[in-house]
Amino acid sequence: MIDQARIDAIYRYPVKGLTPQRLTRVALSAGATLPADRLYAIENGPSGFDPAAPAYFPKHRFLMLMRNERLAALRTDYDEANHMLSIQWEGRAAARGDLRNKEGRLTIEAFFRRFMPNELRGPPKVLSGAGHSFSDVAKKVVSIINLASVAAVETAAGAPVHPLRFRGNVYVAGWPAWHEFDLLDRELAVGDVRLKPVKRIVRCAATEVDPDTGLRNLALPRVLMDNFGHTDCGIYAEIIAGGEIAVGDVITSV
């Protein structure tokens, strides 16, 4: 079974906390994240982030699902060619702006002032920095989710668990449940690509939010702790050799 593990899905999250984009294939570079993954974030009150010297900041400085579940009710799309972010709310076009220029950012910021005024700690501001990813961790990594582990959580919860609750980059089918934890400090191969798993992912209240409805309706960190003795699901991995990966590719440990 382990030798037959394959990539089931690939996702990136161009704007932290907003809608994921499903990819069929993607080129990876050593020491980087997925291209355009968490490329932008929306500041929730002054954060101290300096675009000229981008550095890691904890996620509570930005709009995020852990505290701002209403974000999941939006449907957003990001055009990588022109950095255009489009937002739909309640099935209608709500805002559209080029995140590279001031006018476009102001349009997006104005939408969030209207959309969630009671959750803002200050003016929302679209942030980015050259080569920076607004990941939940300081290292540049990709997140890998084992679909069998998600199925085990679903069984324990007694309710459907959408894999996108875990907002992973690479979803793997074919591993036994929790096998990903045995891969830490080993290497994974996908063709010429090499990944080094470095850390289990501790899950927070963001996983409580249904990605389809935006409702906080399932206490997954508690389900994990009560049934498995930990609150982890998925692993972070560093890219140590680049190349292209695609849905359907075999992934093996080496």
Side-chain angles (χ1 to χ4, degrees), residues 124-216:
K125 184 178 180 182
V126 177
L127 298 177
S128 64
H132 185 69
S133 174
F134 292 92
S135 172
D136 287 349
V137 293
K139 284 186 175 182
K140 290 187 176 181
V141 292
V142 298
S143 55
I144 301 174
I145 306 298
N146 179 0
L147 288 172
S149 299
V150 176
V153 174
E154 184 173 81
T155 299
V161 174
H162 198 308
L164 284 180
R165 285 182 184 259
F166 300 99
R167 294 181 72 82
N169 294 131
V170 177
Y171 288 80
V172 176
W175 285 338
W178 313 117
H179 175 68
E180 65 272 30
F181 297 157
D182 297 331
L183 299 173
L184 294 178
D185 297 321
R186 296 169 65 180
E187 287 188 15
L188 299 175
V190 185
D192 294 331
V193 173
R194 294 294 183 272
L195 303 162
K196 182 179 180 181
V198 292
K199 189 177 188 296
R200 289 162 61 148
I201 304 176
V202 180
R203 291 302 169 179
C204 67
T207 59
E208 298 175 353
V209 179
D210 187 315
D212 290 327
T213 66
L215 297 177
R216 193 178 296 276

Side-chain angles (χ1 to χ4, degrees), residues 54-96:
Y56 168 78
F57 278 82
K59 58 188 174 183
H60 69 262
R61 306 282 183 92
F62 314 108
L63 292 180
M64 54 167 180
L65 287 174
M66 188 177 80
R67 292 182 178 174
N68 313 114
E69 62 266 26
R70 293 189 72 222
L71 295 174
L74 302 175
R75 292 295 173 266
T76 63
D77 185 62
Y78 171 75
D79 187 334
E80 188 175 11
N82 57 24
H83 291 248
M84 189 70 68
L85 180 70
S86 303
I87 302 176
Q88 286 193 334
W89 180 24
E90 297 180 337
R92 293 174 292 182
R96 187 170 184 267

Side-chain angles (χ1 to χ4, degrees), residues 40-62:
Y40 294 94
I42 302 169
E43 183 180 63
N44 188 7
S47 68
F49 181 82
D50 181 0
Y56 168 78
F57 278 82
K59 58 188 174 183
H60 69 262
R61 306 282 183 92
F62 314 108

